[in-house]
């Protein structure tokens, strides 16, 4: 067991989802006082998204993690207006949030080709500045990767998320019968007969207290933010993380997952969610499934099963509840249909809302013109 854990940790060590960089815009060029010449502006530093880049590759290619734009050209007799310095571009993965050291968001890279200006070049010297140039902006920034997927699987360790991802998609995550097999995010693509593709992210297993950064903590929870919908995955027989921790039933697992999301960021509770009850091939699974259904329908009556500070303010409402066995394939086709239906319905609602907003804007413009 010890050897396996070491292998997993090395695997996680190759995955980077946060990188701190130093950036500086170029210094402006000097002006030419005797002829009134103006120096060129220093180059800017941009972060630009590309599908062919990872944070690990940036770190290995630029070990000093410094990105400095070119200085502006000085004014001269041959060129009174100095040329602008060349911009510096940092290629980064899609799904990056660019922030300052103190957490202020500078911008997001949600699709390929998006650009965020992170450091402006200095102005060239001119008559307004006594022909003296200014330095470019200098700062540290952070590239924070948050996976973009249609569906994010959330569940405690050993709930069978990796096996489920394999059953649903073309992904081949590491699978074993012990907790914390998944120590880095895995994304699989579900393919449908009409060639529709749905991206599903299997994220590292939570533990109680993840919202305060226990275990994988924020490394896991931040990836939930950019998924369109949530796929709760629980073991129908419940789970126990270790001999020193309490056993949790499937109902308790659902409630604790809900509370962890709520405590991390309450807005996550507004996402559409589906509940997958896994390992239906185990003994007495049907009986336990019925008990889970009853408990979820009357959650307030069973709240005493949890510590008072871990009872959710609001219970999660699931659009679908699907019993499956990732091992035998039971319920997998039905789950894929439910996922497709749920995402299609949400997309249709968003399109309708967008149409209504455009219609309202058009009516307003018509009223103004009249």
């Amino acid at each position: 067991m010890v050897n396996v854990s070491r292998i997993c940790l090395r695997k996680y060590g190759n995955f980077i989802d946060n990188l701190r960089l130093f950036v500086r815009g170029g210094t402006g060029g000097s002006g030419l006082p005797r002829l009134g010449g103006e120096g060129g502006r220093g180059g800017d530093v941009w972060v630009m998204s590309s599908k062919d880049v990872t944070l690990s590759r940036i770190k290995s290619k630029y070990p000093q993690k410094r990105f400095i734009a070119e200085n502006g050209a000085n004014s001269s007799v041959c060129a009174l207006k100095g040329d602008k310095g060349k911009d510096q571009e940092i290629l980064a993965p899609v799904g990056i949030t660019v922030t300052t050291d103190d957490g202020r968001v500078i911008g997001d890279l949600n699709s390929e080709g998006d650009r965020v200006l992170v450091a402006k070049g200095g102005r060239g010297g001119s008559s307004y500045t006594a022909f003296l140039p200014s330095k470019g902006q200098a700062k540290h920034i952070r590239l924070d990767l948050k996976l973009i997927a249609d569906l994010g699987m959330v569940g405690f360790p050993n709930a069978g998320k990796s096996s489920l991802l394999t059953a649903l998609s073309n992904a081949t995550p590491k699978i074993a019968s012990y907790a914390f097999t998944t120590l880095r995010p895995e994304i699989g693509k579900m393919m449908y007969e009409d060639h529709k593709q749905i991206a599903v992210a299997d994220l590292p297993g939570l533990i109680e207290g993840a919202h305060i950064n226990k275990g994988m903590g924020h490394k896991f929870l931040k990836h939930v933010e950019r998924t369109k919908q949530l796929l709760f995955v629980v073991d129908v027989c419940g789970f126990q993380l270790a001999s020193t921790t309490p056993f949790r039933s499937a109902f308790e697992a659902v409630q604790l997952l809900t509370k962890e999301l709520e405590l991390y960021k309450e807005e996550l509770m507004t996402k559409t969610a589906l509940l997958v009850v896994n390992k239906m091939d185990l003994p007495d699974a049907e009986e336990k499934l019925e008990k889970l259904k009853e408990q979820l329908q009357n959650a307030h009556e069973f709240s005493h099963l949890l510590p008072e500070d871990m009872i959710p303010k609001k219970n999660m409402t699931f659009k679908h509840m699907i019993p499956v066995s990732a091992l035998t394939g039971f319920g997998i086709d039905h789950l894929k249909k439910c996922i497709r239906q749920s995402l299609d319905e949400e997309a249709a609602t968003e399109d309708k809302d967008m149409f209504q907003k455009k219609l309202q804007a058009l009516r307003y413009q018509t009223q103004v013109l009249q």
Side-chain angles (χ1 to χ4, degrees), residues 142-308:
R142 289 185 181 273
L143 305 183
D144 192 24
L145 176 64
K146 297 178 183 177
L147 297 179
I148 298 175
D150 298 299
L151 214 59
M153 292 200 289
V154 297
F156 288 114
N158 218 27
K161 300 192 305 302
S162 295
S163 299
L164 184 61
L165 184 67
T166 301
L168 287 171
S169 72
N170 58 359
T172 54
K174 185 175 178 65
I175 299 168
S177 58
Y178 50 86
F180 296 113
T181 306
T182 303
L183 291 175
R184 68 179 193 177
E186 299 276 357
I187 291 186
K189 293 277 189 179
M190 284 197 300
M191 304 289 293
Y192 290 84
E193 291 182 359
D194 62 353
H195 305 295
K196 169 77 173 180
Q197 294 187 30
I198 291 177
V200 185
D202 171 24
L203 304 163
L206 282 170
I207 64 170
E208 295 176 43
H211 67 281
I212 54 172
N213 216 15
K214 283 187 180 179
M216 291 295 173
H218 295 170
K219 276 187 176 294
F220 160 82
L221 287 165
K222 71 175 185 178
H223 291 301
V224 180
E225 294 181 47
R226 287 194 180 180
T227 58
K228 294 179 183 176
Q229 297 188 3
L230 303 178
L231 193 68
F232 279 51
V233 183
V234 297
D235 184 332
V236 69
C237 295
F239 82 101
Q240 186 174 16
L241 189 61
S243 59
T244 55
T245 60
F247 172 81
R248 298 301 190 189
S249 67
F251 169 72
E252 291 173 89
V254 171
Q255 298 299 86
L256 288 168
L257 286 169
T258 301
K259 188 64 177 180
E260 289 297 339
L261 295 177
E262 176 186 281
L263 289 172
Y264 175 70
K265 188 164 286 189
E266 209 160 330
E267 301 90 89
L268 294 175
M269 302 294 292
T270 62
K271 288 182 181 286
T272 301
L274 291 77
L275 174 60
V276 176
V277 185
N278 196 17
K279 304 190 181 181
M280 289 300 296
D281 53 294
L282 295 177
D284 303 321
E286 287 292 342
E287 181 182 334
K288 290 173 180 174
L289 176 63
E290 291 305 314
K291 184 177 181 180
L292 173 60
K293 289 178 179 178
E294 179 189 352
Q295 290 175 321
L296 289 175
Q297 288 173 356
N298 305 282
H300 62 284
E301 295 181 14
F302 297 93
S303 59
H304 65 277
L305 297 173
L306 294 166
E308 190 172 341

